[in-house]
Amino acid sequence: MELLLSIILGFMIIGAIFALHARDLLSALVAFGIVGYSLVICFLLLKAPDLAIVQIVVETVTLVIMVAVILNSTREEVKDKLRWQSALTIVLALLFIGGLVYFYQVAIAPLDELGMHTTRMAEAYIEGAAEKTGSANLVTGVLFDFRGYDTLGEATILFTAAIGVLTVLRLKGKKAA
Amino acid sequence: MIVYSLCFVLFMVGLYGVVTRRNMIKIVIGLAIMEISIFMFLVLIGYIQGAEAPIITGHETAVQFVDPLPQAMVLTAIVIGLATNAMLLAIAIRIYKNYGTFDIRKVNELKG
């Protein structure tokens, strides 16, 4: 299991690196699709079917929006190569990477091995969930019943983002009074 | 533990893209890659070997379910990620219409 997930994650990393280095933006998007749809396979392997469905929809919508943006503008990558300006930049970058790796080590230390997780907080959610929420799907039960206010906040964010997109893309501005 | 490290590597790849690329579309892709690595990491934490998907079918006896809490939180995060990506792309296309380029260093005369 861990080996299979590692192989898929390796493909995701390769796809991500190619997506960031492609000369053509359309091929960069196709490579980004590798990352997103591999995540769907990982979710299915990790016994999360709801997440897999949502991720398929979201990934497809994201790719469609990105392709629409690119077809309305340009496919060409900007010309200039990256310049390493000074030794200071490299030293700062290395220090930053070192700091991130250190905090990653600190964060990873108390975690269980993969597959050895013990449910602590979710125990109350699983216990008699069908009677409490009326939902056979525990994820739906947590999302819409135990943590319904989280979902309300999510809906607020979605609404705000839709308003923001409409405002930014509005062609005609209001006439000054 | 190696999968956790690979998730971290994927996050670093996305961060590298955000910091070094000059094309705004590439920056959005980098942010999306960082999001994806975080989703993967959170779902990996909740995984239990040999457990079933958290759906009650009615005729299981003593099966163990995968932790539903990280899955619910990641479900919220995925939808919010879509919203932020759409917002960023809208701003990018607006900047392209004004400046004729996706190069972020050419966009240096921000007037009100």
Side-chain angles (χ1 to χ4, degrees):
Chain A
M1 188 67 186
E2 187 156 7
L3 182 68
L4 191 56
L5 284 172
S6 304
I7 292 169
I8 297 175
L9 263 167
F11 275 119
M12 285 165 81
I13 291 170
I14 294 170
I17 291 172
F18 184 77
L20 293 173
H21 282 279
R23 303 303 304 162
D24 184 21
L25 283 185
L26 209 53
S27 49
L29 288 191
V30 173
F32 173 59
I34 298 175
V35 185
Y37 289 115
S38 304
L39 184 67
V40 175
I41 300 173
C42 290
F43 281 162
L44 283 177
L45 288 174
L46 291 170
K47 302 284 166 57
D50 315 87
L51 286 178
I53 295 167
V54 171
Q55 176 64 26
I56 281 188
V57 174
V58 163
E59 184 64 26
T60 311
V61 170
T62 311
L63 282 179
V64 166
I65 296 174
M66 282 182 172
V67 169
V69 166
I70 283 175
L71 291 184
N72 272 317
S73 51
T74 177
R75 281 171 59 174
E76 283 183 19
E77 171 70 299
V78 292
K79 284 286 185 299
D80 295 335
K81 296 286 278 182
L82 180 74
R83 295 189 309 274
W84 297 99
Q85 262 110 359
S86 63
L88 183 68
T89 322
I90 301 172
V91 171
L92 277 178
L94 285 179
L95 274 179
F96 189 65
I97 291 173
L100 275 180
V101 169
Y102 171 72
F103 282 114
Y104 166 74
Q105 292 292 342
V106 171
I108 215 77
L111 283 180
D112 305 316
E113 287 282 324
L114 177 71
M116 298 296 150
H117 176 71
T118 46
T119 48
R120 290 180 285 267
M121 197 167 162
E123 211 55 59
Y125 295 154
I126 297 175
E127 214 52 51
E131 291 77 35
K132 276 189 238 167
T133 65
S135 163
N137 190 334
L138 294 180
V139 176
T140 320
V142 171
L143 205 58
F144 289 104
D145 198 301
F146 296 116
R147 285 171 180 258
Y149 284 117
D150 271 359
T151 310
L152 186 66
E154 176 201 345
T156 315
I157 290 173
L158 264 183
F159 179 72
T160 317
I163 294 287
V165 168
L166 279 180
T167 314
V168 169
L169 289 184
R170 188 177 53 174
L171 288 178
K172 272 189 273 183
K174 225 183 230 173
K175 280 198 190 102
Chain B
M1 282 306 202
I2 188 151
V3 265
Y4 296 155
S5 305
L6 282 171
C7 278
F8 180 68
V9 171
L10 191 60
F11 183 87
M12 291 301 272
V13 169
L15 188 64
Y16 158 77
V18 170
V19 172
T20 61
R21 296 296 102 183
R22 298 176 59 174
N23 192 316
M24 275 182 284
I25 302 291
K26 293 274 178 78
I27 292 175
V28 176
I29 290 177
L31 275 171
I33 289 168
M34 285 161 82
E35 276 169 13
I36 281 176
S37 72
I38 295 294
F39 301 155
M40 183 78 195
F41 182 67
L42 289 178
V43 176
L44 277 175
I45 287 176
Y47 180 69
I48 297 171
Q49 190 79 45
E52 288 295 317
I55 296 168
I56 301 167
T57 52
H59 47 74
E60 64 264 309
T61 47
V63 294
Q64 201 180 10
F65 289 129
V66 173
D67 197 342
L69 188 56
Q71 293 194 14
M73 295 296 103
V74 169
L75 197 67
T76 313
I78 286 176
V79 179
I80 290 175
L82 171 69
T84 50
N85 280 347
M87 188 75 208
L88 283 170
L89 286 168
I91 293 172
I93 191 78
R94 200 68 182 154
I95 288 176
Y96 182 81
K97 287 270 160 34
N98 273 359
Y99 290 88
T101 177
F102 276 133
D103 192 342
I104 200 139
R105 294 183 203 183
K106 298 247 169 66
V107 191
N108 51 7
E109 31 186 75
L110 287 173
K111 292 172 196 156

